[in-house]
């Protein structure tokens, strides 16, 4: 169970934007970020360690900012526990900009984004809004499965000709692997697919641990 005795800093202003929980043992960072977010119309609550899971589920938070350096459980363990029961968007804070291992581990455990300390509150706010816009769009995403392909938010993928057209009816060129990757996503709407699943779908006869799939997803 996550701790329920965290030291919290509350603010009475009405909610007008992001509803954020910032969890970091760094008092200065926590104060700086919460102050900035409140000044920009957000409801921001700070904690020096993870609060009880019940608080995250009972209050209308739509973003969790989680420091990797926590005690007595670290941020990655806290992330794992939150992600096991919630789809709450999470931005992780890492202390080392060059520590790619932290980023990879965090993303594999379900983090939505990563920021390195010293943290820029303006960038945090922009990334938080971007995550929520992306989630908001996905709620209205419906891929209409037709006999000849799919239609989704103005785009159309025709299976017979293997062509993709954008909302203005222009043809978008796809490589063989990009076409297979897009079909895989459309066949599994609102599902989280692992790197191995994507590799098997697009390159069934190649090494399923090839990191090049990351670049393909980014381009697509």
């Amino acid at each position: 169970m996550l701790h329920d005795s965290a030291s919290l800093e509350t603010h009475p202003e009405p909610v007008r934007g992001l509803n954020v929980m910032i969890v970091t043992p760094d008092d200065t960072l926590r104060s700086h970020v919460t102050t900035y977010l409140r000044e920009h119309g957000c409801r921001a609550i700070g904690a020096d360690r993870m609060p009880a899971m019940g608080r995250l589920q009972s209050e209308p938070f739509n973003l969790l900012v989680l420091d990797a350096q926590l005690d007595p459980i670290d941020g990655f363990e806290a992330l794992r526990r939150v992600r096991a029961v919630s789809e709450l968007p999470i931005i992780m804070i890492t202390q080392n900009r060059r520590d790619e291992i932290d980023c990879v581990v965090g993303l594999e455990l379900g983090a939505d984004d990563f920021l390195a300390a010293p943290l820029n509150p303006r960038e945090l706010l922009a990334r938080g809004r971007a995550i929520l816009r992306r989630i908001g769009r996905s709620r209205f995403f419906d891929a209409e499965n037709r006999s000849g392909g799919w239609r989704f938010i103005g785009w159309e993928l025709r299976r017979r000709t293997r062509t993709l057209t954008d909302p203005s009816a222009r043809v978008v060129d796809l490589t063989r692997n990009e076409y297979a990757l897009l079909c895989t996503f459309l066949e599994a709407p609102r599902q989280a697919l692992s790197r191995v699943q994507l590799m098997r779908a697009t390159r069934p006869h190649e090494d399923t641990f090839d990191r090049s799939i990351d670049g393909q997803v980014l381009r697509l």
Side-chain angles (χ1 to χ4, degrees), residues 79-91:
L79 167 64
R80 186 187 66 79
R81 297 186 189 187
V82 173
R83 190 54 76 229
V85 297
S86 172
E87 293 299 317
L88 177 68
I90 299 173
I91 295 178

Side-chain angles (χ1 to χ4, degrees), residues 1-12:
M1 174 166 300
L2 297 178
H3 295 274
D4 59 3
S5 57
S7 173
L8 298 175
E9 303 149 358
T10 60
H11 194 267

Side-chain angles (χ1 to χ4, degrees), residues 54-183:
R55 172 150 196 171
L56 290 176
Q57 295 176 314
S58 64
E59 296 191 25
F61 295 111
N62 50 24
L63 180 65
L64 173 63
V65 180
L66 185 59
D67 198 321
Q69 306 297 320
L70 291 180
D71 185 65
I73 62 172
D74 67 24
F76 296 105
E77 175 61 16
L79 167 64
R80 186 187 66 79
R81 297 186 189 187
V82 173
R83 190 54 76 229
V85 297
S86 172
E87 293 299 317
L88 177 68
I90 299 173
I91 295 178
M92 294 288 292
I93 304 171
T94 181
Q95 299 300 315
N96 188 347
R97 186 178 297 275
R98 297 180 181 278
D99 195 345
E100 296 181 359
I101 295 178
D102 276 0
C103 294
V104 170
V105 171
L107 292 171
E108 292 284 358
L109 289 174
D112 294 276
D113 206 344
F114 251 88
L115 284 173
L119 192 64
N120 183 332
R122 183 176 181 180
E123 182 180 4
L124 170 63
L125 181 57
R127 288 177 181 259
R129 285 174 172 162
I131 289 171
L132 294 189
R133 283 197 301 270
R134 186 168 68 243
I135 292 174
R137 285 196 298 266
S138 71
R139 289 173 180 166
F140 299 99
F141 176 86
D142 260 319
E144 181 184 354
N145 191 349
R146 297 183 162 195
S147 59
W150 290 272
R151 298 190 68 180
F152 54 99
I153 53 176
W155 295 70
E156 183 171 359
L157 182 67
R158 300 184 181 95
R159 302 196 72 162
R160 184 173 302 172
T161 58
R162 295 196 172 194
T163 55
L164 175 68
T165 54
D166 68 13
S168 60
R170 291 178 299 186
V171 175
V172 178
D173 292 331
L174 293 175
T175 66
R176 178 179 61 84
N177 284 340
E178 287 170 346
Y179 170 79
L181 187 62
L182 181 55
C183 287

